[in-house]
Every structure is written in C-alpha cells, then in structure tokens.
Amino acid sequence: MESKNILIKDATIIADEIIKGSLLIENDKIVEISDKIGISDAEELILADDKILLPGLVNTHTHLSMTLMRGLADDIPLDSWLNNHIWPVEANLKGEHCYVGALLACAEMIKSGTTCFNDMYFFMDQVAKAADEAGIRGMLSHGMIDFGDEEKRKNEFKETRRIIKKCHNTGDGRIKVAFGPHSPYTCSQELLEGVKKESNKYGVRIHIHVSETQKEVSDIQEIHGKRPFEYLNDINFLGEEVTAAHAVWVSDSEIDIIKEKNVKLSHNPSSNMKLSSGISPVAKLLDKEVCVSLGTDGPASNNNMDLFEEMKISALLQKVNTMDPTVLSAENVYKMATINGANSLGLENEIGSIGVGKKADIVLVNKKIPKLTPFRNPISHLVYSASGGDVDTVLCNGEILMKNKELLTIDEARVIEIAENASEDLLSKC
C-alpha cells in the first residue's frame, strides 16, 4: 500500500514545548516536527499559521447513544433520574437506536475536538459501527448489570464476549473493547470477580462507575461493611487496567488504595454538578499522583460532549471548592483532557500528546478570533477562553475527519434528521 503524507504547516504546536512549526504525517503517524519541512514533502497541505495544534482530546467516560435522551429528564436527583426516567426508556432500546445515537455523538465529538472516547452502553457492536464510519477512536464496553440474578449474569458475560470477538481491534485498530460492569451497587460480587478474571484472560481493560453519590457509598457500607473502593479492593478487583468514573465520595484511605493499585479515574464535573452528586477531590487526588482524566458522562446528564467546556469547569470547580485559586492549573487540567486520558485507557504510547512516532490524532483550533486575542498564553486560552466551537480541523489515525469546520466522514444534516426520528421513535414506545 502506498503511503499517504499530510503536511500541517506553520502551526502553533502544543508539544513538550510550545513551538511555531510544521508537522508531517505519514499514514497514521507523526513522522516529523520542524520549521524546515518543505511543501513538496506532502501530498496534502493544511495551512495553519492562524491555528493552534494540539493532540485530540480524550473523553474517558461516555454513554454515546444517550444523545437520543438529551433533555429528557433534567433537574432531578440521580436515583430518580435513573429509576423513573432513563431505565424505562432504555428498556425499549434497539440496535438501530444505539447506532444513530452514537453517530450523532461522534459528530458532536469531532466538531468539538475529541478524537477518542471510552463508552459504556448497550448494542455496542452498533456503536462500533458508528465510530468506525466516523473515523474516531473508541474503547467500548457493554454495560453489565445483574442485581444478583445468575441467569442475567451469564447473559452479560455472553454479550461481552460477543462484542470482544466481533469488535476488538477493528477499524484499523481504532476500536477496542473493555469489560463494563456498571457499578458495585448493580453488580454482584460474582460478576465483579468474573470480570476481573476474564479481563485478564482477554487482556482488555475494565470500565466501571464508583462512588458517584453519597447514597451509593452508604448502600455499599450497609451491605458489605466497607466503602466502595475498600470493598472492590478486598475482592481483588482493582488494578491498573481499571478506569473508574466519578470517584466523588472517596475517603483518604480510599485515595491511598487507588494510588497503590494504580486505578485510573475519570472526573465528570458537569454531570456531577447537574445531578448534585457532589465534587470529586481532584486537587487532592492529583497531589497524590493519581491519574485523573476527564469525561463528559452521557448527553442526558451533561447535556453536551464539549471537553473544552469540561476543562474550564473542572478548573473553576476545584478552585471554588478549595477556596484556593492556585489548584488545578490550566496546564494540569489540559493534561487531564489529553495525556492523562490516554493513560487512563492504556494508550499513552499512541495518543494524548504531540510527538514523532505518535498516532496522528490532531486538532487545530482557530486562534484568530476575538476571545483568543491577544494571543499570549496558548494553554490558558485553550482551557479558559476556547470552546469546542472554535475547533477548525480534526484528524484521527492520520485521516482528516473535519476540515474548515466541515465534517468529511459524517453527513451532518442527515445525521441530525435521523437522530430526531430515532429519538421520537424511542420515546413513543414508553
């Protein structure tokens, strides 16, 4: 197969240092970063003198297909939100709903600079189909729930094995599969222990919700006599392959366990605020050198998937929570959305930063706009001033997914239309 070269010329590049230069891509990788690359070295040229070049953002906790439920149940507590609104709708989900909802989410993520996501939901082969068509990178897990029911537990493992066999390492290696036990309060000990065993067998990661609400913590304490991370540690569930979403209500002793076991955490501030779940002690976690990344959660509890917005909210929330303006600097929260996200998914050697040999997952942000002027501090501007709508061009795995704000792999108007129809069909069944 002939190689394909793309040259991004004269960008402000956010790498180990911030430099003005050009970047050469060959097939799916960055092969050169320099201010001396000639135009003749590439088949395709992207002029980027007025652009900031950064790695594609990594969203480490999503439920993509819940785009179809956006705005369905706002301004209510998590327990009621799930039991009285979301789960009844999800009982009527079909594969086509999940495909369309995921395709809509992929369009939204690409347009706001996200090139990799970590998803837990249902009909995950349909989500894989959408991600493959969109050209985005994703880690997919079937949401496993058994409530102690042995037959349901067997079916959850059967479905996860099916998705692994069908989807793992597909889409030119962009699509990977993980185990997705929903949470300690919806999964039996037998399911959790089985997940640990089988994830080791298949060599895949684990994605789980932990300690999202005070109610979850008190319920786990009542049943098991321990806090959630203590319980998971006691059954030997925790490890470096685990990405735990939320971690809002964690004790100091649990933070020590998280650090010791090298568990990765996904911080979801907008969803946690909207559902009044609480504020994760991110500043304390980072001080302990825990890997904390960023997630939007699902579009029914956020209600968008803009990681630029999530970066700013994360920083501001920690500052006002600790009453310390120095905590969670722009640089640290930028790392949460990029290299920490990659590390959280075991992909730090491939994505999450700009460097020779890394995958060409790249975002260009327009810097010649009023809110980024005067242009004096690129990372500060990306965190505090920019939004997803300022993204101009997006590449993933060396393929251009959006150029000059135009989606190239997704028919945006068509996706909006079919998503409206799919949402209406889904809600009509309730």
Side-chain angles (χ1 to χ4, degrees):
M1 185 177 69
E2 292 186 7
S3 63
K4 181 181 68 174
N5 294 338
I6 300 172
L7 174 62
I8 304 176
K9 189 161 180 60
D10 297 330
T12 299
I13 301 173
I14 313 295
D16 290 339
E17 297 177 332
I18 299 174
I19 61 170
K20 184 76 172 181
S22 301
L23 183 149
L24 184 64
I25 298 163
E26 185 173 313
N27 297 327
D28 62 342
K29 290 184 179 177
I30 300 167
V31 296
E32 187 177 355
I33 302 172
S34 169
D35 59 0
K36 298 181 175 62
I37 307 173
I39 292 175
S40 61
D41 294 333
E43 299 163 348
E44 182 156 358
L45 176 67
I46 299 175
L47 297 175
D49 182 64
D50 58 350
K51 305 292 190 300
I52 310 169
L53 186 155
L54 63 147
L57 304 183
V58 183
N59 189 339
T60 55
H61 182 60
T62 65
H63 309 291
L64 298 189
S65 301
M66 293 182 81
T67 50
L68 301 187
M69 302 171 210
R70 199 191 319 259
L72 170 65
D74 295 329
D75 308 322
I76 54 178
L78 175 63
D79 192 52
S80 174
W81 181 81
L82 273 175
N83 288 287
N84 301 329
H85 299 275
I86 300 302
W87 282 345
V89 172
E90 288 179 341
N92 296 298
L93 275 171
K94 291 183 168 51
E96 181 65 18
H97 296 130
C98 287
Y99 165 72
V100 173
L103 199 58
L104 178 64
C106 287
E108 183 179 352
M109 287 189 292
I110 293 168
K111 293 199 74 172
S112 55
T114 291
T115 58
C116 182
F117 64 90
N118 185 35
D119 198 52
M120 179 195 293
Y121 212 53
F122 311 110
F123 299 102
M124 297 309 291
D125 50 347
Q126 295 299 311
V127 176
K129 177 184 174 184
D132 188 22
E133 291 176 6
I136 200 167
R137 195 179 302 278
M139 187 164 291
L140 315 180
S141 54
H142 167 70
M144 305 171 75
I145 296 173
D146 70 342
F147 287 115
D149 185 315
E150 184 178 358
E151 189 61 30
K152 183 162 177 49
R153 181 162 61 250
K154 289 178 180 177
N155 288 334
E156 299 292 58
F157 278 102
K158 182 179 178 181
E159 176 65 4
T160 297
R161 293 185 199 108
R162 182 182 78 85
I163 299 300
I164 290 173
K165 184 176 181 180
K166 183 176 180 180
C167 303
H168 190 52
N169 282 327
T170 58
D172 296 322
R174 288 180 290 105
I175 310 300
K176 299 187 184 300
V177 178
F179 276 85
H182 177 266
S183 64
Y185 65 91
T186 57
C187 297
S188 65
Q189 181 173 331
E190 290 81 3
L191 188 148
L192 294 169
E193 290 173 337
V195 161
K196 182 69 171 183
K197 180 179 178 181
E198 294 222 358
S199 71
N200 289 335
K201 173 184 172 182
Y202 286 100
V204 299
R205 297 189 61 79
I206 300 171
H207 181 192
I208 186 171
H209 304 80
V210 186
S211 296
E212 184 173 2
T213 66
Q214 283 181 301
K215 184 179 187 307
E216 175 190 337
V217 173
S218 61
D219 286 350
I220 294 294
Q221 284 181 309
E222 185 175 338
I223 296 168
H224 299 287
K226 300 178 179 68
R227 298 176 66 87
F229 278 103
E230 293 170 341
Y231 161 63
L232 292 174
N233 189 47
D234 280 357
I235 64 172
N236 296 314
F237 178 86
L238 300 178
E240 63 181 3
E241 77 278 21
V242 175
T243 301
H246 301 298
V248 173
W249 298 97
V250 289
S251 65
D252 288 347
S253 63
E254 286 181 295
I255 292 174
D256 290 338
I257 290 169
I258 291 165
K259 172 60 179 174
E260 178 189 350
K261 296 297 183 179
N262 199 14
V263 175
K264 314 303 191 297
L265 301 181
S266 177
H267 177 45
N268 298 250
S270 292
S271 176
N272 293 158
M273 289 192 294
K274 183 166 179 277
L275 293 167
S276 295
S277 298
I279 304 172
S280 177
V282 171
K284 182 184 289 188
L285 288 160
L286 291 176
D287 283 345
K288 291 282 189 175
E289 299 185 337
V290 171
C291 177
V292 184
S293 58
L294 275 182
T296 56
D297 210 343
S301 65
N302 185 298
N303 292 16
N304 66 46
M305 305 190 74
D306 185 345
L307 270 185
F308 281 93
E309 180 178 282
E310 219 68 30
M311 280 195 285
K312 181 173 183 176
I313 288 172
S314 295
L316 300 187
L317 184 59
Q318 290 300 306
K319 294 173 191 300
V320 74
N321 187 47
T322 61
M323 295 304 292
D324 182 354
T326 69
V327 303
L328 203 53
S329 66
E331 289 79 7
N332 282 338
V333 79
Y334 171 79
K335 288 177 182 177
M336 288 169 64
T338 55
I339 191 61
N340 285 16
N343 189 17
S344 187
L345 304 183
L347 298 173
E348 66 275 14
N349 293 326
E350 297 185 22
I351 64 170
S353 61
I354 299 297
V356 172
K358 284 289 188 87
K359 294 284 189 181
D361 291 14
I362 293 168
V363 170
L364 297 178
V365 172
N366 186 2
K367 69 181 185 183
K368 293 293 186 181
I369 55 177
K371 65 180 173 181
L372 299 188
T373 303
F375 187 73
R376 62 163 54 96
N377 188 334
I379 291 180
S380 171
H381 284 355
L382 289 171
V383 172
Y384 294 126
S385 304
S387 65
D390 303 323
V391 172
D392 179 87
T393 297
V394 175
L395 296 85
C396 183
N397 220 42
E399 298 290 336
I400 302 174
L401 309 186
M402 182 173 78
K403 189 174 183 180
N404 300 325
K405 292 187 176 291
E406 180 184 356
L407 291 173
L408 303 182
T409 57
I410 295 174
D411 184 335
E412 185 174 352
R414 174 181 171 273
V415 168
I416 289 172
E417 181 182 358
I418 63 175
E420 287 280 13
N421 294 337
S423 180
E424 188 174 317
D425 176 70
L426 177 61
L427 298 182
S428 71
K429 299 180 186 303
C430 295

